[in-house]
Amino acid sequence: MSTVLLDPAEGGVAHAAALLRQGGLVAFPTETVYGLGADARNPEAVARIFAAKGRPRFNPLISHFPEAEAAFAEVVADDRARRLAARFWPGPLTLVLPRAPGSRIDLLTGAGLPTLAVRVPAHPLARALLRAAAVPVAAPSANPSGRVSPTTAPHVLDGLSGRIDAVLEGGACAVGLESTVLDLSGPRPVLLRPGGVAAEAIAALLGPLDRPAAGGGAEEARPSPGLLASHYAPVLPLRLEARTLRPGEALLAFGPPLPGAALCWQLSAAGDTVEAAARLFSGLRWLDDEGRQRGLTGIAAMPIPAGGLGEAINDRLSRASAPRPEA
């Protein structure tokens, strides 16, 4: 793949918007860092983000919008969220809120969680791109996983050239630090990640902010980003590394399916982990719902190789099959 550098003065925004609508990956400037964008409604495009970055887990991605009301169409926004949006949006603040019942955001973008992370960036090119694309844009930082976040287009190309479709040139980012992430999905606001908006400024509007519980990061303490040991779990028990089927089991297949399944969801007949990643959360949900309606007793998942996005898929399957906490 050849990565194109797009000049906003030469139709770059329209070109980038078209690529996003077509399922492409486009890096674009925000006031914080360059983001690696994809249509947040498109599971295959979102899966390509994880593959391009070499991201080891399906962490929830922030969905970007041109204005607050577009963001609030996808989530359940309370008075706290609206006050924060009026004060800090557009700007480097991400809000984690309950997913709206009619949300268009794909399950993979939100990592299968009941919450979504949303933001309205302040960079004029980012907002122009979001308006032109007319789709919610999921975007983590545009760098290989584990590397320093990029604040210029050359930084992006240094890490991702050949892995993504295009970079929209926008100069150096003004903030250069990722957005603040605030979890408003519960009764008390929780600061998941400090960033471009100071915690003190948020507390001045909302009062004291909770922090993730001691002894674990935000990923362990809160439902977003959501890496609890038991997570993403269907109601039906999930059995991993299945090479034969037991009576009453539905099948989560990868490659040629095991014979005799009463119900089967194919992650990827071709054994493509990018395709499998895009279909994982929807497949687990469908097998669980349909399997319970049919009186099945469990779900068997065929082995997934560790290469490519296989590690991330296996991580999520492992958490989905972990012993459930007692009520």
Side-chain angles (χ1 to χ4, degrees), residues 27-86:
F28 63 97
T30 76
E31 74 279 18
T32 58
V33 299
Y34 273 71
L36 179 55
D39 182 348
R41 309 166 307 169
N42 184 330
E44 288 81 10
V46 173
R48 289 185 61 209
I49 289 178
F50 292 97
K53 285 176 63 69
R55 196 173 173 106
R57 292 187 174 91
F58 294 142
N59 295 324
L61 302 180
I62 297 169
S63 294
H64 295 69
F65 301 85
E67 65 276 327
E69 287 311 310
F72 289 158
E74 307 293 341
V75 293
V76 179
D78 59 13
D79 176 68
R80 300 173 302 173
R82 294 187 178 278
R83 281 187 284 143
L84 288 167

Side-chain angles (χ1 to χ4, degrees), residues 211-218 220-221:
R211 300 304 200 271
E220 296 172 344

Side-chain angles (χ1 to χ4, degrees), residues 238-246 249-254 256-258 299-304:
L238 177 64
R239 183 170 64 90
L240 306 185
E241 301 290 328
R243 289 175 170 81
T244 60
L245 279 170
R246 297 171 182 170
E249 284 186 329
L251 178 65
L252 187 67
F254 182 81
L258 299 174
I299 300 170
M302 292 175 62
I304 309 290

Side-chain angles (χ1 to χ4, degrees), residues 5 78 88 94 148 191 201 283:
L5 184 63
D78 59 13
F88 297 113
T94 294
V148 177
L191 183 68

Side-chain angles (χ1 to χ4, degrees), residues 138-199:
S141 57
N143 56 284
S145 187
R147 296 276 297 276
V148 177
S149 296
T151 55
T152 67
H155 290 169
V156 178
L157 290 169
D158 182 56
L160 296 178
S161 183
R163 302 188 194 181
I164 65 177
D165 296 287
V167 180
L168 182 62
E169 171 64 77
C173 299
V175 176
L177 177 70
E178 286 87 349
S179 63
T180 301
V181 179
L182 187 71
D183 186 351
L184 294 179
S185 64
R188 293 178 60 86
V190 180
L191 183 68
L192 293 179
R193 182 180 76 183
V197 172

